[in-house]
Amino acid sequence: MKRDDGGVVNNPLRANIALTLERERARRGLSHMHMAELFRTAEGEKLAYRTYIQTVRQKNNITLTTLQIMAKGLEVSFAGLLAGGKKVPEWAHRLDDNAIRKRLAHIIDSERQRRTLHRYEMAEIIGVAEATYTKLERASGNISVDTIAAIAKALKLDPATFLFSEKIPPGSTDT
């Protein structure tokens, strides 16, 4: 995804995440520094303040793992961060980063099969290297929100909500 003159990428997922972070910060009456303090890993390590600020400014391509840390720190759902204010099914609020990876894998594999394409052809359509496509299809690796948005765009789907589609039974791909 390309940056504009201000260094911002036109990715609705980045915008949704930034909006949610700012909304939560205002609701809690926290400074940026105190907001960043909420984001600690299970091992007690803090997410870098710079990562938080760059996310709020929509200048970094965060991964599902980082997003999971933010969701846990804020006690909000992963789906809520990705969807912004858009409505998602209630079950979607229980999904974690692993479930999102599995849902994305199911979507791209189903679409590839529907179109009767080889893996390298589907990789080309969604704009990733074949090795990256293999990781996506296997639900492995640390997927970024830019990759998710690019896949949605290539498949002509709404990046904020396609992962929470009712077409994919919630129990079939989540953990």
Side-chain angles (χ1 to χ4, degrees):
M1 304 195 99
K2 294 183 180 164
R3 294 183 185 277
D4 67 14
D5 293 338
V8 175
V9 172
N10 182 16
N11 177 344
L13 297 179
R14 284 188 185 198
N16 289 347
I17 294 162
L19 177 69
T20 303
L21 290 174
E22 278 299 302
R23 192 180 301 138
E24 283 295 313
R25 186 177 74 82
R27 185 179 71 79
R28 296 164 191 242
L30 297 175
S31 67
H32 285 294
M33 187 63 77
H34 287 107
M35 183 73 166
E37 289 286 324
L38 296 175
F39 308 127
R40 294 188 182 275
T41 65
E43 296 80 31
E45 296 177 22
K46 289 189 296 187
L47 192 66
Y49 173 74
R50 184 177 190 283
T51 300
Y52 162 72
I53 288 296
Q54 294 295 81
T55 302
V56 169
R57 293 178 180 161
Q58 301 179 49
K59 291 192 176 186
N60 69 337
N61 183 16
I62 66 170
T63 62
L64 294 180
T65 301
T66 300
L67 202 58
Q68 182 71 28
I69 292 167
M70 289 180 168
K72 283 183 180 179
L74 294 173
E75 297 177 349
V76 299
S77 76
F78 208 94
L81 282 171
L82 289 174
K86 292 192 176 182
K87 181 124 174 81
V88 296
E90 191 56 40
W91 56 261
H93 293 287
R94 294 186 297 274
L95 299 175
D96 64 8
D97 58 331
N98 289 321
I100 296 294
R101 284 184 191 89
K102 289 177 185 177
R103 293 183 70 75
L104 184 61
H106 178 80
I107 290 166
I108 63 172
D109 187 51
S110 296
E111 187 64 18
R112 182 183 66 78
Q113 289 179 28
R114 186 185 72 75
R115 296 181 184 196
T116 62
L117 298 172
H118 293 283
R119 284 175 174 83
Y120 75 89
E121 293 171 313
M122 189 64 176
E124 197 172 287
I125 287 170
I126 64 173
V128 297
E130 194 172 350
T132 301
Y133 179 82
T134 300
K135 286 181 182 179
L136 292 170
E137 193 177 50
R138 291 181 180 161
S140 64
N142 198 2
I143 302 165
S144 73
V145 295
D146 284 0
T147 299
I148 293 169
I151 291 168
K153 183 177 180 182
L155 299 178
K156 296 179 174 54
L157 300 169
D158 179 354
T161 60
F162 85 103
L163 291 168
F164 315 116
S165 170
E166 296 288 349
K167 293 178 185 175
I168 309 165
S172 69
T173 56
D174 60 354
T175 52

